[in-house]
Amino acid sequence: MSDASVRFRRLAWRTVIGKSPRSVAGQVFLLQVALVVLLVLGAVLALFLQSKRDTTAEAKRRSIAVAEAFAHAPGLVQTLQGPDPSRVLQPLTERARKSAGVDFIVVMDTHGIRYTHPMPSRIGKRFVGTIEPSLAGKVYTESVHGPLGHEVQATVPVDDSRGRVVGLVSAGLKVKHVTSELNRQLPIILAAGCGALLVSTSGTALVGRRLRRQTHSLAPDEMTRMYEHHDTVLHSVREGVLIIGADGRLLLVNDEARRLLELPADAEGRNVRELPGLEPATAGLLVSGRPASDEVHFAKGRLLAVNQRPTDGAGGPGGTVVTLRDSTELQAVSGRAEAARERLELLYDAGLSVGTTLDVVRTADELARVAVPRFADFVTVDLADAVLHGEEPAPTATEMRRVAVRGIGDDHPLYEQGRLIDFLPSTPQARGYDAGRSELVTDLAGAEGWRAQDPERTRQILEYGIHSLIAAPIRARGVVLGMANFWRSKREPFDDEELSLAEELVARAAVSIDNARRYTREHALAVTLQRSLLPRALPEQSALDVGYRYLPAQSGVSGDWFDVIPLPGGRVALAVGDVVGHGLHAAATMGRLRTAVHNFSTLDLPPDELLQHLDDLVGRIDQDEACPETAGEIVGATCLYAIYDPVTRRCVMARAGHPAPALVRPDGSVTFPDLPAGPPLGLGGLPFRTAELELDEDSQLVLYTDGLIEDRRRDLDEGMEMLRRALAGHPGRSPEETCGAVLEQLLPERPKDDVALLVARTRVLPADRVADWDVPRDPAAVSGMRGAVSAKLDEWGLSELGFGMELVLSELITNAIRYGSDPVHVRLIHDRTLICEVADGSSTSPHLRYAATTDEGGRGLFLVSQLSERWGTRYTPHGKVIWAELTVPDLGALLGE
């Protein structure tokens, strides 16, 4: 190697030696800084943990002391058992809280409902925390995020004189209010850490200077080893390296550069322009000294990428360093790499844009959209017609529906979107569908099987210029759902590599299409289930003219329901409810609640008692379905139940967390009755209250679920006002017309939540269809009542029912006189059936039994059940009513019409 090369190496290694100790000093510096920082952080962390433990312990101690003191306060038990604990306890707890230095003292019942709270708006709501240990008689402390923030609270029981827990007292305070030592000690720790960091930095700087001075001279064996490594690396790299001096002489060349340029052995030390065989353009670049980055030069049959940089940028000697890289093969594959890049981009874009929705047609259109014009000039997607309905596809390519058509032009002669196609077995589509593999047709003009499908249309397709086709099956989970057809007219025909790309593209879309198909099927099943649980037809009754609407949500199913239930005495019950949540669980729960309402209504319970039974049922559902898989899923529901009597025009209703109904008067005015708001079903512990209204004839009672008035884009009050405007000013509108008008004005688009709407127009039973008698408690009065009833039946034209009604009436009146109490009252109602009601002041209920052959009595109610269509008992605030219904004969049938 020449002297110039040796001098260059020595210069280069002196530069490396000069920089290396600085790197060692920097590592030592970073190590010491890291150690100091870790020590400081450790000290701060230990202090923080100690302070946190102390503050938590102090907060718990104070909370327990205050809670136990208040729980054992004299008179607390009597106050909790009083009529209004909140009025008495709220000012006491506030004074105790301020004097004790805590943030809150909450007194609650055994269900966790607050009687007191520093924020009065929280009174009556459920306590945030765990109360089960305290209900068992224990003192329980915990840390929660409550209405006041991060709190430490203690809950203690309040025992009565017999040791029973009659209430709970919780006291607590926010952790940040407890005095901590951290605020006083943290500045000291940080100052000490900063001082240590400063001292270590100074020491590290001194060590670095000493290392730099000591590593300027190296031992001979170390210098020899470094030179050996230098030669090994320089001559082993697979890139050519040249060093050219400022005068244009070649100072250094490695083995790879000598091979690429075919330089002679004595090339080093010679001027670059004198080197034999070097292209003038390449030689001119090497002696110019200008920077170059990947300039391509032709040399000795190779394409060389040349990079050149000057060496005097950091104060070194003048000259340049040149690297050479053989890019002959790279240029050959660059075209294929660009094509591969475009294909990868296409697949990536397909992954982002295909399958954005769970709609089968939309997903197929997204597949066609992403492939035109980047891959094909035209794309058509054909799916089995059953797939569009969520069903399994047919085994053959018949009844294929064209669901997507995309292309570079709209004047193409391909089958239009929506067409139902039966592909012949000879077509590529049918072969691909049956075999489950793609078909490549590079020349459609010579494909006789394809042309046999529709000779006239295929001729138009060829004349249009379409010449090549890929028919790829849309296959997911082992099932072929349809075919994706890629057509070309302006570019080269498809090849085998593009066939693989088409298969990959379709495979990505197939999963999304199958998911959309499965969703369509599941959604249809869920909607079918929900609709099967709703009333299919309204029962016949004379009290109300009813119209209704049910609209499912955009996705999923919900638990909205409504019902119209005929009751004894010509009365009708209306029910509207909503189960919290969506899905099959909500729909199934809705079916259970609707069935329960039907069962409870047969007992003829008042609305408040019926809601109380429903509340207990929802609570039992929560307990029965409690499992790890449904943790946190608590069943909640709302309901409104109303009973309308067409004889008295009275409507009694109660609600459990449900929106209040709207009342449209006969003059067209709209009001929202002041109906007491009960808690939602499932909370338990709180009573439900009823409201009674007297409705004029032709009034409209509008019941609905919250999906009608609630929306993210508007307030609840705004929704109520919109409902009022939709109902007002149309007194003559029928219930069906009212339903249509309300939905049109409040829900112009498909709702995001289920909506149930029930509109009932009131009717009144004419006074001449009702007869009343007060009966003295004398057995002799029974015969007189039989005569009065017979006369009334003759007046109504129901003489043929006289014998049966006299037997039923005699038995019911006799029972009321013998076993009941005053007053005894008889009412006869001529409606769709003939209704006989006997009321008395007793709450005892008669029971049907079957008398033995030797018994002298006990057959009266058996005769009543045999003679009447149905009979039963309902309780009133003043006693009970025993009623029986007899079927009114069809007058037309009797006359032979």
Side-chain angles (χ1 to χ4, degrees):
M1 189 174 292
S2 64
D3 295 339
S5 176
V6 174
R7 288 196 301 272
F8 172 78
R9 292 177 181 178
R10 290 177 179 175
L11 176 62
W13 279 110
R14 275 198 293 269
T15 304
V16 174
I17 293 170
K19 292 184 178 179
S20 180
R22 291 188 60 189
S23 176
V24 174
Q27 292 177 8
V28 173
F29 172 74
L30 292 177
L31 179 60
Q32 292 187 358
V33 170
L35 289 175
V36 173
V37 170
L38 288 176
L39 290 175
V40 173
L41 290 178
V44 173
L45 180 60
L47 179 60
F48 175 77
L49 293 177
Q50 178 66 27
S51 176
K52 182 177 181 181
R53 188 190 67 179
D54 294 342
T55 55
T56 303
E58 174 64 14
K60 290 182 178 180
R61 184 189 64 78
R62 291 174 58 183
S63 300
I64 293 174
V66 173
E68 287 185 338
F70 199 89
H72 295 89
L76 179 59
V77 175
Q78 292 78 7
T79 304
L80 289 176
Q81 296 173 350
D84 191 0
S86 294
R87 181 179 60 81
V88 178
L89 294 177
Q90 176 66 9
L92 295 178
T93 55
E94 285 302 294
R95 288 197 297 271
R97 177 182 66 84
K98 295 177 181 178
S99 61
V102 294
D103 289 317
F104 69 89
I105 298 178
V106 173
V107 182
M108 69 200 86
D109 62 8
T110 56
H111 297 285
I113 304 303
R114 302 188 186 101
Y115 291 134
T116 67
H117 196 273
M119 301 169 59
S121 61
R122 299 288 178 173
I123 296 176
K125 297 184 178 180
R126 190 171 182 85
F127 175 67
V128 179
T130 305
I131 64 174
E132 286 76 10
S134 301
L135 292 175
K138 299 179 180 179
V139 177
Y140 183 75
T141 61
E142 59 184 334
S143 177
V144 298
H145 289 275
L148 302 177
H150 185 196
E151 306 162 348
V152 173
Q153 62 187 22
T155 306
V156 300
V158 179
D159 301 333
D160 60 6
S161 59
R162 291 182 290 177
R164 295 183 305 173
V165 177
V166 298
L168 302 174
V169 176
S170 178
L173 66 164
K174 292 182 280 187
V175 175
K176 67 179 182 179
H177 289 169
V178 181
T179 305
S180 175
E181 293 294 330
L182 181 61
N183 296 332
R184 296 194 297 270
Q185 297 181 9
L186 185 59
I188 300 175
I189 295 298
L190 293 178
C194 292
L197 183 61
L198 180 61
V199 171
S200 65
T201 304
S202 302
T204 302
L206 295 176
V207 172
R209 290 183 58 188
R210 186 174 182 84
L211 287 175
R212 283 194 297 271
R213 288 197 304 270
Q214 292 179 350
T215 54
H216 275 299
S217 57
L218 297 176
D221 56 341
E222 295 176 344
M223 184 66 71
T224 301
R225 186 165 59 253
M226 293 178 66
Y227 276 121
E228 291 174 352
H229 292 170
H230 169 268
D231 290 338
T232 301
V233 173
L234 182 62
H235 295 285
S236 298
V237 295
R238 298 304 300 167
E239 286 191 356
V241 179
L242 303 94
I243 299 180
I244 302 171
D247 55 357
R249 288 187 306 114
L250 182 62
L251 302 180
L252 175 66
V253 59
N254 71 343
D255 297 341
E256 183 67 12
R258 196 183 300 274
R259 184 185 68 83
L260 293 176
L261 299 177
E262 298 183 3
L263 298 177
D266 60 347
E268 291 181 345
R270 298 172 59 179
N271 193 286
V272 173
R273 294 186 182 277
E274 299 176 357
L275 296 176
L278 198 61
E279 294 291 336
T282 305
L285 172 62
L286 298 180
V287 300
S288 67
R290 65 178 177 84
S293 298
D294 288 333
E295 288 191 12
V296 180
H297 288 259
F298 185 79
K300 302 302 180 181
R302 298 182 179 89
L303 292 174
L304 301 180
V306 182
N307 291 275
Q308 181 169 270
R309 293 293 184 273
T311 59
D312 57 357
T320 57
V321 177
V322 181
T323 61
L324 306 174
R325 185 173 66 255
D326 189 357
S327 62
T328 305
E329 296 181 358
L330 181 62
Q331 292 293 329
V333 301
S334 61
R336 293 196 298 270
E338 179 64 20
R341 183 189 63 81
E342 293 178 355
R343 293 174 182 177
L344 287 176
E345 288 184 355
L346 176 60
L347 293 176
Y348 175 77
D349 293 341
L352 294 178
S353 57
V354 178
T356 58
T357 66
L358 289 173
D359 184 87
V360 175
V361 177
R362 175 74 177 274
T363 304
D365 184 69
E366 290 171 346
L367 170 61
R369 188 192 303 270
V370 77
V372 176
R374 299 164 64 180
F375 179 68
D377 297 326
F378 298 92
V379 175
T380 59
V381 181
D382 306 321
L383 297 178
D385 198 48
V387 172
L388 301 178
H389 306 288
E391 302 172 0
E392 294 292 332
T396 59
T398 57
E399 295 186 357
M400 301 282 288
R401 182 78 63 179
R402 178 146 294 180
V403 297
V405 179
R406 287 282 174 177
I408 57 177
D410 297 331
D411 56 344
H412 58 80
L414 299 171
Y415 283 138
E416 68 278 3
Q417 183 175 348
R419 186 185 183 106
L420 190 64
I421 308 172
D422 291 333
F423 287 106
L424 296 179
S426 62
T427 59
Q429 290 86 352
R431 293 196 303 269
Y433 188 96
D434 296 339
R437 60 174 179 267
S438 302
E439 292 281 333
L440 171 61
V441 183
T442 57
D443 184 13
L444 289 174
E448 297 296 335
W450 170 73
R451 299 178 65 177
Q453 172 71 29
D454 189 341
E456 178 61 25
R457 187 175 293 271
T458 54
R459 181 186 62 80
Q460 297 175 3
I461 293 175
L462 294 175
E463 291 177 355
Y464 188 79
I466 298 176
H467 55 76
S468 182
L469 164 68
I470 290 179
I474 303 174
R475 185 184 182 93
R477 299 178 178 93
V479 178
V480 179
L481 307 175
M483 298 295 294
N485 307 298
F486 302 91
W487 313 80
R488 276 188 179 176
S489 61
K490 303 295 185 182
R491 288 180 283 182
E492 294 295 325
F494 292 108
D495 54 25
D496 291 335
E497 292 186 0
E498 291 172 323
L499 177 63
S500 300
L501 175 60
E503 291 175 344
E504 179 68 21
L505 190 64
V506 173
R508 298 195 176 202
V511 176
S512 299
I513 291 176
D514 190 53
N515 289 338
R517 177 188 69 88
R518 289 169 176 263
Y519 170 78
T520 301
R521 181 183 61 190
E522 297 299 330
H523 182 68
L525 290 176
V527 171
T528 302
L529 170 63
Q530 186 179 28
R531 290 190 179 276
S532 67
L533 297 174
L534 292 172
R536 298 186 179 182
L538 296 181
E540 294 184 356
Q541 43 82 30
S542 304
L544 297 170
D545 182 13
V546 180
Y548 65 92
R549 292 289 189 278
Y550 172 75
L551 296 182
Q554 291 180 353
S555 61
V557 294
S558 183
D560 292 14
W561 94 91
F562 64 91
D563 225 328
V564 179
I565 307 172
L567 296 179
R571 298 166 303 138
V572 176
L574 302 176
V576 174
D578 184 6
V579 177
V580 176
H582 293 79
L584 292 178
H585 183 265
T589 304
M590 175 269 287
R592 297 171 68 177
L593 293 183
R594 180 171 176 259
T595 302
V597 170
H598 267 273
N599 294 336
F600 293 146
S601 65
T602 59
L603 302 177
D604 214 343
L605 299 176
D608 55 341
E609 293 185 20
L610 185 140
L611 292 181
Q612 190 65 52
H613 285 292
L614 281 183
D615 183 66
D616 296 339
L617 174 62
V618 174
R620 288 196 300 272
I621 292 176
D622 282 338
Q623 295 176 2
D624 296 341
E625 297 184 354
C627 62
E629 291 78 5
T630 59
E633 297 183 5
I634 299 177
V635 175
T638 65
C639 182
L640 189 150
Y641 187 78
I643 298 176
Y644 174 70
D645 189 346
V647 178
T648 63
R649 295 187 292 111
R650 291 281 180 177
C651 181
V652 182
M653 63 184 71
R655 59 173 173 153
H658 202 82
L663 178 61
V664 184
R665 299 290 183 180
D667 59 358
S669 61
V670 179
T671 60
F672 292 93
D674 187 13
L675 179 61
L681 300 176
L683 294 183
L686 295 178
F688 300 97
R689 294 182 296 170
T690 61
E692 185 173 351
L693 305 175
E694 184 173 343
L695 304 181
D696 297 328
E697 188 174 6
D698 290 332
S699 298
Q700 290 191 13
L701 194 62
V702 182
L703 284 67
Y704 51 90
T705 55
D706 56 2
L708 180 68
I709 57 175
E710 289 186 357
D711 194 279
R712 295 180 179 178
R713 297 168 295 181
R714 62 174 183 247
D715 295 334
L716 180 61
D717 294 340
E718 183 180 354
M720 299 285 286
E721 179 60 24
M722 292 177 62
L723 176 61
R724 188 194 65 79
R725 291 197 299 266
L727 296 173
H730 301 279
R733 202 160 51 185
S734 67
E736 284 293 329
E737 293 172 345
T738 301
C739 289
V742 168
L743 294 183
E744 180 181 357
Q745 297 186 35
L746 270 73
L747 299 174
E749 301 177 355
R750 189 175 179 183
K752 295 182 179 179
D753 191 12
D754 286 19
V755 174
L757 176 63
L758 190 66
V759 179
R761 181 191 294 275
T762 60
R763 298 173 180 170
V764 177
L765 196 65
D768 58 356
R769 291 291 190 97
V770 181
D772 294 85
W773 297 275
D774 290 324
V775 181
R777 292 194 63 201
D778 183 359
V782 176
S783 60
M785 285 303 308
R786 286 200 298 266
V789 168
S790 297
K792 180 58 69 174
L793 293 179
D794 292 340
E795 180 183 342
W796 287 343
L798 301 176
S799 302
E800 63 275 11
L801 298 179
F803 178 73
M805 179 55 68
E806 288 181 6
L807 291 178
V808 170
L809 183 67
S810 298
E811 179 60 31
L812 296 182
I813 296 178
T814 301
N815 284 342
I817 293 174
R818 181 178 299 176
Y819 305 109
S821 60
D822 288 329
V824 179
H825 185 80
V826 175
R827 184 170 70 170
L828 206 60
I829 301 174
H830 181 196
D831 195 12
R832 291 179 177 268
T833 60
L834 182 60
I835 305 169
C836 173
E837 295 181 348
V838 177
D840 66 83
S842 173
S843 298
T844 58
S845 176
H847 296 281
L848 175 64
R849 69 183 184 90
Y850 296 93
T853 56
T854 57
D855 291 345
E856 296 183 359
R859 297 177 178 83
L861 290 180
F862 177 76
L863 292 175
V864 171
S865 66
Q866 294 297 312
L867 294 173
S868 61
E869 181 73 16
R870 55 177 184 157
W871 71 282
T873 305
R874 71 172 182 269
Y875 295 94
T876 66
H878 308 291
K880 68 175 183 295
V881 175
I882 304 177
W883 55 270
E885 293 184 2
L886 275 69
T887 303
V888 175
D890 187 355
L891 183 59
L894 293 177
L895 297 178
E897 296 180 1

